[in-house]
Amino acid sequence: MENLSKRLVSKSIEAFIMGIEIYNKPTIKYRVEGFSFFICNAWELMLKAHLINQNGEDSIYYSDSPNRTITLESTIKKIFTNANDPLRINLERIIELRNTSTHFITEDYERIYAPLFQSCVMNFINEMEEFHNEDITKHIAQNFLTLSIRPEELSNDEIKGKYSTHMAEKLIHERDKIAKDVQESNSTFAIPIQTTLAITKNQKKADILVSVIGDSGNDVKIVKEIKDPNSIYINTTSTVVKQVNRRLRASNILLTKIKGGELTKQHFTSHDFQLFVHFYKLKSNPRYCYYYKLGNRYGYSTQLVDFLVEEIKKDPEHIVQNLKAKLK
């Protein structure tokens, strides 16, 4: 049973990497279809391995047909029992796309589903760590986990001019529905793609910073290069906490905290993360944090994980108490 679970996890990681490689390869036009096939396969193998570990090998087979394994949809419902869970909804929407791909698909689905794809990648990494203690970055470098997104987007008139009436209506409906869901949900469902161009004195509102040189005619000097926030601030609070704990666990480090009036050894938590955020004012530091107006959420860079681990390693026995005392 253990060997079967490990084999499923190994195949799951291979399917996941295949999906990433297909999506990020510029010469492949079958990106959306290929990614949806392989990412669904990766989730199915990973979740079934989890079911085996929890309930035994029989749990992945139909009770009335022991030679057939249950579907991905059934597997998801067994593990993520809350139908309103953004992670479950994300997966169900991508499964719908995979099923649609069997019949027809267009390259314009890529721009519509890109936020869901990126979130699905991050969710898979988190659940693989949670369920199987597998660090995906040991198999594929962190920088390759950001999907390469096509920036162009068609207007309603362009869609209607490019496709049949039935196909155009379907594309517009899907685009509007997902856009509404993205605004109402969080990064577990979708990671919005956003680039802002602004002439403003507030640097937080701009992705490109320019400086006009006085007394120089029409010259404009670019003082900073274009940055895509989606490729830098890829972490949510939960992923930061998980990565910090993984790094600390590798060094056999636990935080010393006060619980019930006594000092105890504990893991790094989201509460500890907020403590660091407030003390170091991390949300105002563009090196570590970015605010996405679309989706009303914060994204965090991998550099923040490095910073937190380095600070904790300096004094794991006293840092939590010291930060609390200094904030008071």
Side-chain angles (χ1 to χ4, degrees), residues 137-153:
T137 58
K138 291 181 179 179
H139 303 272
I140 181 172
Q142 179 81 37
N143 56 300
F144 289 112
L145 297 174
T146 299
L147 300 179
S148 176
I149 306 300
R150 294 177 56 186
E152 62 267 21
E153 182 175 4

Side-chain angles (χ1 to χ4, degrees), residues 177 308 321:
K177 185 177 188 304
L308 294 173
Q321 292 89 292

Side-chain angles (χ1 to χ4, degrees), residues 29-303:
K29 295 183 179 180
Y30 202 61
R31 290 152 54 98
V32 175
E33 299 94 320
F35 177 82
S36 63
F37 291 153
F38 280 107
I39 198 67
C40 287
N41 183 227
W43 273 98
E44 182 168 356
L45 294 168
M46 186 262 285
L47 294 179
K48 285 181 176 177
H50 178 61
L51 279 181
I52 290 173
N53 291 338
Q54 293 293 310
N55 306 312
E57 188 174 332
D58 291 341
S59 61
I60 67 171
Y61 293 92
Y62 287 105
S63 57
D64 59 348
S65 182
N67 294 323
R68 293 175 54 230
T69 59
I70 60 177
T71 63
L72 172 57
E73 293 89 334
S74 298
T75 305
I76 291 171
K77 290 176 182 179
K78 282 178 175 287
I79 296 174
F80 305 110
T81 55
N82 179 6
N84 296 316
D85 184 349
L87 185 153
R88 173 171 160 176
I89 297 173
N90 173 280
L91 276 175
E92 290 173 341
R93 297 300 296 276
I94 293 176
I95 291 171
E96 289 176 8
L97 177 64
R98 179 200 63 178
N99 296 340
T100 301
S101 299
T102 306
H103 307 290
F104 61 90
I105 197 71
T106 82
E107 60 186 17
D108 294 308
Y109 267 101
E110 179 180 347
R111 189 60 180 83
I112 297 173
Y113 279 86
L116 275 69
F117 287 167
Q118 185 63 76
S119 184
C120 188
V121 167
M122 302 311 297
N123 292 341
F124 179 87
I125 294 169
N126 295 338
E127 298 308 310
M128 182 62 83
E129 169 75 19
E130 179 74 20
F131 292 155
H132 303 289
N133 198 29
E134 277 284 350
D135 181 3
I136 292 296
T137 58
K138 291 181 179 179
H139 303 272
I140 181 172
Q142 179 81 37
N143 56 300
F144 289 112
L145 297 174
T146 299
L147 300 179
S148 176
I149 306 300
R150 294 177 56 186
E152 62 267 21
E153 182 175 4
L154 296 178
S155 66
N156 284 0
D157 290 338
E158 289 172 321
I159 292 175
K160 291 175 181 178
K162 187 175 180 181
Y163 299 105
S164 67
T165 301
H166 174 73
M167 190 65 209
E169 290 178 352
K170 183 175 179 62
L171 272 172
I172 293 171
H173 177 267
E174 284 297 304
R175 183 199 62 194
D176 294 345
K177 185 177 188 304
I178 288 177
K180 181 175 181 295
D181 290 342
V182 168
Q183 290 181 336
E184 295 176 353
S185 188
N186 57 30
S187 59
T188 304
F189 171 73
I191 296 178
I193 308 301
Q194 173 180 313
T195 302
T196 303
L197 301 178
I199 299 175
T200 174
K201 293 182 179 180
N202 188 343
Q203 296 183 8
K204 294 181 180 179
K205 294 182 179 179
D207 299 302
I208 302 174
L209 301 184
V210 302
S211 174
V212 179
I213 303 173
D215 301 324
S216 59
N218 296 323
D219 292 338
V220 175
K221 178 182 179 183
I222 298 178
V223 295
K224 286 194 176 181
E225 71 278 9
I226 299 175
K227 293 184 178 179
D228 176 14
N230 300 286
S231 65
I232 301 172
Y233 309 94
I234 63 174
N235 296 299
T236 62
T237 297
S238 62
T239 58
V240 169
V241 171
K242 288 180 179 179
Q243 289 185 53
V244 169
N245 277 316
R246 187 177 65 242
R247 298 265 296 275
L248 293 178
R249 187 164 56 245
S251 301
N252 295 317
I253 293 176
L254 289 172
L255 290 167
T256 301
K257 308 178 194 178
I258 298 176
K259 184 176 182 179
E262 297 182 356
L263 294 176
T264 59
K265 299 287 186 180
Q266 299 179 43
H267 294 292
F268 183 78
T269 65
S270 58
H271 180 75
D272 299 325
F273 174 72
Q274 295 303 326
L275 180 64
F276 277 83
V277 166
H278 292 313
F279 182 81
Y280 290 103
K281 297 180 174 58
L282 297 176
K283 287 185 177 179
S284 61
N285 189 331
R287 182 182 182 188
Y288 301 130
C289 184
Y290 184 88
Y291 175 69
Y292 293 90
K293 287 180 288 186
L294 179 60
N296 187 29
R297 69 180 185 88
Y298 287 94
Y300 303 100
S301 68
T302 302
Q303 287 179 306

